[in-house]
Amino acid sequence: MILVGENMAQKLLDKFTAKLLINPESPIRPALDLLDEGSVLKIRAPGSCAAIEKRSGGIFEIESETATPLFEIRFLDSEDIPVFLEIKSAIEFGELFQAMVREGKLKLDLLMSFLDLWDKGVGFFLKEIGVLSAPSGYADLIKPLQLREIAFTEILDVKYLQQLVDELARIIGVRLWILDMNSMPVAVSTTGGEHCQLIIDSLEGVMRCYGSSIGGLTELKKAMAPKVRICHAGFICFDAPLILGGEMVGMISGDASLTEVPDKEYFRELAIELGIEPEPLIESLEKVRCVDIAEVEFLLSVVNAIAQVVSEMSFKQYQLSDLSKELSRKNVELKALFQAITEIQERERASIARDLHDDTGQNLTNALVNLEMALGEAASNPDLGAHLESASISISSVLKQLHDLSASLHPPLLDDLGLTEALHNLVRRMNGDHGIEFKLMARGEETELPSEVKINLYRIAQEGLSNVLKHSGATKAMVYFYISEEGVDLMIADNGKGIQGSIEDDGGVHLGFVNMRERAEQIGGIFERLPSEFGLTLSIHIPRQERAPV
């Protein structure tokens, strides 16, 4: 064997780090991205060392001496590094990795408990590179499951599950696991099963336990009923399916007991196979209970009953949550539709108002001028003069109605002089046409108000005053329009009969209130009814930071 010098070994390790770990185009980059933010990995070879850290969405090289890694990859010979530089996929990397581990050329040292590593994404990393992989038949078995693609945490309350398995483990004296259909731990009890903990703190132990749990999930999926099984290490385990809406989404698994006194030599050999120290494993066996099958089946029945209750409750919560999300989505769609319809209405109103003013209004004005000229020339014919004067009065009346209609459709003052003047004009017109006394009180500069805010506030005022006319029985009404550092406020108050109970309960005005509320929310405002001893007071407040953009 050719010995590689320390400088050459470091160069090879630097190439490995740059090409496979730091490079954004690396075939194993998707696997590295599954690790938690702040995760550190170390890579060693004789006489050389490198370390990387995941942070801010990237992978960066750091000083290896100060790093505290999740795990460490150790090449026993630097000459084995170059072959990794040729790999083209994450699975190819995983296959080469496992082959070198089996041949004793490479080691993966887990530097904290595997359950802690799993919480930091190491399990997903190993699955992505194929170190943890289920048989193809299992993939076909679970492929039809519709809930499989939904995150477990969206279906079940993981915090509650953790409390549940901790309490159960304390009572029955075994470690309990909750696994999803990909055999990924969702919750694991914090007590019990010291021997299992020692086994899975080695890579070989993790791989064997993963394969064993996949086997358990397979049997449960086929039977859709609880099962007792023997794990890869010879311990008795019991599994209960988690079934939501007729679909299995995971299992609660209890490990691990023995039916007879453990064979120390067997477990010593097992420890050597797994690459862990034999003595701690043998010592941990003293805490393993020897039970008969009847006791295991009783524990299984208890866990299965709890699994059924948890599953049923969780599925109902998931359905309610799913319905709530759907309603929320529909609400967003309806608001977007309302906004689109409102914008179309405003464009159409503005277009019609322009046509009425520019074409119809101009034609009527010309006709009126011609009539007045003819009226001056018809002084010698009283009958003709009377007819012409009557026609002139009619056209003048039509012109006024046309002007009012045009202003109602789209007030030109809103574009030319602003919202305050448009509101003044609205109040003036209503005072001239109706028996209610309308007033406006305005304060503040509106130079920064977007056009969308102006037109919607104008329409709200228009709708509010229309409701006063139709439903309130009031003699006075006041419009308040304030702009301040806190935002924009529009209030409409009257001294009428008011509304008993909720404004939504009054069918006569309900649609108008819905329209006002929708318009207020469209521009980031809050629409509410304010307490009042008499009459009705409506308020729209738009916080400064929530105003609609220009």
Side-chain angles (χ1 to χ4, degrees):
M1 180 177 67
I2 300 173
L3 295 177
V4 179
E6 288 187 8
N7 288 341
M8 181 58 69
Q10 187 63 52
K11 287 180 179 179
L12 288 172
L13 204 59
D14 289 343
K15 282 186 178 180
F16 178 94
T17 303
K19 184 171 183 179
L20 289 177
L21 305 181
I22 297 175
N23 177 17
E25 303 301 321
S26 164
I28 67 167
R29 184 57 179 267
L32 292 169
D33 287 340
L34 296 172
L35 297 172
D36 277 6
E37 187 77 1
S39 295
V40 174
L41 310 183
K42 241 180 206 183
I43 311 93
R44 286 188 183 276
S48 58
C49 184
I52 61 163
E53 180 182 8
K54 180 186 176 184
R55 65 173 185 269
S56 304
I59 306 291
F60 302 92
E61 189 166 9
I62 59 174
E63 290 293 331
S64 58
E65 291 77 10
T66 59
T68 304
L70 301 179
F71 58 83
E72 187 173 286
I73 298 173
R74 284 195 295 127
F75 288 95
L76 301 187
D77 190 333
S78 300
E79 287 186 330
D80 293 320
I81 296 175
V83 67
F84 276 92
L85 303 179
E86 305 302 321
I87 64 108
K88 303 298 182 185
S89 69
I91 296 300
E92 186 181 347
F93 177 92
E95 289 173 348
L96 180 59
F97 182 91
Q98 291 180 79
M100 286 199 173
V101 168
R102 285 193 295 268
E103 294 169 11
K105 297 179 178 180
L106 185 67
K107 287 187 177 294
L108 177 69
D109 295 329
L110 305 179
L111 301 180
M112 60 178 67
S113 77
F114 188 72
L115 293 179
D116 291 335
L117 290 175
W118 205 281
D119 287 339
K120 297 181 182 299
V122 173
F124 295 102
F125 168 80
L126 294 176
K127 192 170 185 297
E128 185 71 18
I129 64 174
V131 171
L132 301 181
S133 60
S136 59
Y138 181 73
D140 294 336
L141 182 68
I142 66 173
K143 187 176 181 180
L145 300 180
Q146 295 179 357
L147 294 178
R148 183 174 60 89
E149 300 301 327
I150 301 172
F152 205 101
T153 51
E154 291 186 27
I155 304 174
L156 296 171
D157 184 342
V158 176
K159 184 177 180 181
Y160 167 72
L161 291 179
Q162 185 63 57
Q163 294 172 345
L164 176 67
V165 294
D166 280 340
E167 184 63 19
L168 270 176
R170 185 186 65 80
I171 294 171
I172 64 180
V174 300
R175 184 179 289 271
L176 290 172
W177 305 67
I178 294 182
L179 305 175
D180 66 17
M181 292 304 289
N182 293 312
S183 192
M184 295 289 163
V186 176
V188 182
S189 65
T190 53
T191 59
E194 182 183 338
H195 51 296
C196 290
Q197 179 68 60
L198 291 169
I199 288 172
I200 62 173
D201 280 347
S202 71
L203 178 61
E204 183 64 27
V206 168
M207 293 168 62
R208 293 189 185 189
C209 285
Y210 179 82
S212 181
S213 63
I214 287 290
L217 286 165
T218 300
E219 292 303 313
L220 286 187
K221 176 63 181 70
K222 291 177 179 178
M224 296 295 277
K227 289 276 188 178
V228 175
R229 64 182 166 92
I230 306 297
C231 79
H232 71 94
F235 296 103
I236 300 173
C237 300
F238 52 87
D239 305 322
L242 289 168
I243 300 172
L244 303 183
E247 279 193 19
M248 182 174 159
V249 296
M251 71 176 179
I252 300 181
S253 182
D255 60 41
S257 305
L258 294 168
T259 55
E260 56 186 26
V261 176
D263 182 342
K264 292 184 179 181
E265 285 307 311
Y266 165 79
F267 285 102
R268 190 183 304 277
E269 292 177 7
L270 176 64
I272 294 171
E273 289 178 15
L274 299 177
I276 62 175
E277 291 294 328
E279 292 310 316
L281 177 60
I282 292 171
E283 289 176 10
S284 71
L285 296 177
E286 295 177 4
K287 300 177 183 178
V288 177
R289 294 190 305 158
C290 289
V291 298
D292 56 31
I293 292 297
E295 183 177 349
V296 174
E297 289 177 344
F298 171 73
L299 292 176
L300 176 57
S301 67
V302 172
V303 171
N304 185 56
I306 292 172
Q308 289 179 349
V309 172
V310 169
S311 298
E312 185 176 348
M313 289 173 54
S314 298
F315 188 60
K316 288 179 179 178
Q317 290 175 349
Y318 168 71
Q319 286 179 312
L320 288 173
S321 173
D322 198 43
L323 179 60
S324 176
K325 290 177 182 176
E326 179 66 14
L327 288 174
S328 178
R329 186 179 66 81
K330 291 294 184 185
N331 189 43
V332 170
E333 291 177 356
L334 285 173
K335 286 184 181 297
L337 180 61
F338 178 84
Q339 182 173 352
I341 291 172
T342 301
E343 290 172 356
I344 292 171
Q345 284 179 334
E346 292 302 335
R347 286 198 297 269
E348 289 299 316
R349 283 173 170 174
S351 176
I352 294 170
R354 283 194 301 271
D355 290 344
L356 288 174
H357 179 271
D358 296 343
D359 298 332
T360 309
Q362 190 62 48
N363 290 336
L364 285 172
T365 300
N366 291 337
L368 181 61
V369 170
N370 290 331
L371 278 173
E372 289 175 348
M373 291 174 61
L375 188 61
E377 296 174 0
S380 60
N381 189 338
D383 291 337
L384 178 60
H387 288 306
L388 290 174
E389 185 175 0
S390 176
S392 176
I393 293 171
S394 296
I395 290 177
S396 295
S397 176
V398 171
L399 273 172
K400 182 181 182 303
Q401 293 173 11
L402 193 64
H403 179 269
D404 291 344
L405 177 60
S406 177
S408 174
L409 285 170
H410 188 80
L413 287 175
L414 193 63
D415 298 326
D416 299 335
L417 299 177
L419 179 57
T420 302
E421 284 304 314
L423 290 174
H424 272 299
N425 188 58
L426 174 64
V427 168
R428 278 196 298 269
R429 285 193 292 108
M430 298 198 76
N431 272 324
D433 296 337
H434 306 286
I436 300 177
E437 181 185 355
F438 293 94
K439 289 185 178 180
L440 170 69
M441 183 177 292
R443 186 174 64 203
E445 296 292 329
E446 61 173 273
T447 52
E448 297 180 1
L449 281 185
S451 57
E452 182 187 4
V453 172
K454 291 180 183 179
I455 188 62
N456 277 289
L457 286 177
Y458 181 85
R459 294 300 181 202
I460 290 170
Q462 199 175 34
E463 181 71 43
L465 294 180
S466 175
N467 281 336
V468 171
L469 283 173
K470 295 176 183 177
H471 306 290
S472 72
T475 59
K476 294 181 180 180
M478 177 71 78
V479 178
Y480 300 88
F481 177 52
Y482 297 147
I483 300 177
S484 65
E485 289 298 319
E486 287 72 30
V488 180
D489 289 277
L490 176 69
M491 287 190 290
I492 303 160
D494 65 63
N495 66 347
K497 61 185 179 181
I499 296 175
Q500 300 300 317
S502 170
I503 57 178
E504 282 81 2
D505 295 335
D506 192 317
V509 295
H510 173 60
L511 188 58
F513 284 125
V514 169
N515 187 41
M516 284 189 279
R517 176 177 283 110
E518 288 294 334
R519 283 187 177 275
E521 291 177 354
Q522 183 178 322
I523 52 177
I526 302 165
F527 174 86
E528 59 183 337
R529 171 191 176 185
L530 298 181
S532 179
E533 293 182 7
F534 54 85
L536 180 66
T537 301
L538 302 177
S539 167
I540 297 89
H541 174 68
I542 308 173
R544 177 168 289 273
Q545 67 273 16
E546 295 184 14
R547 288 186 203 163
V550 178

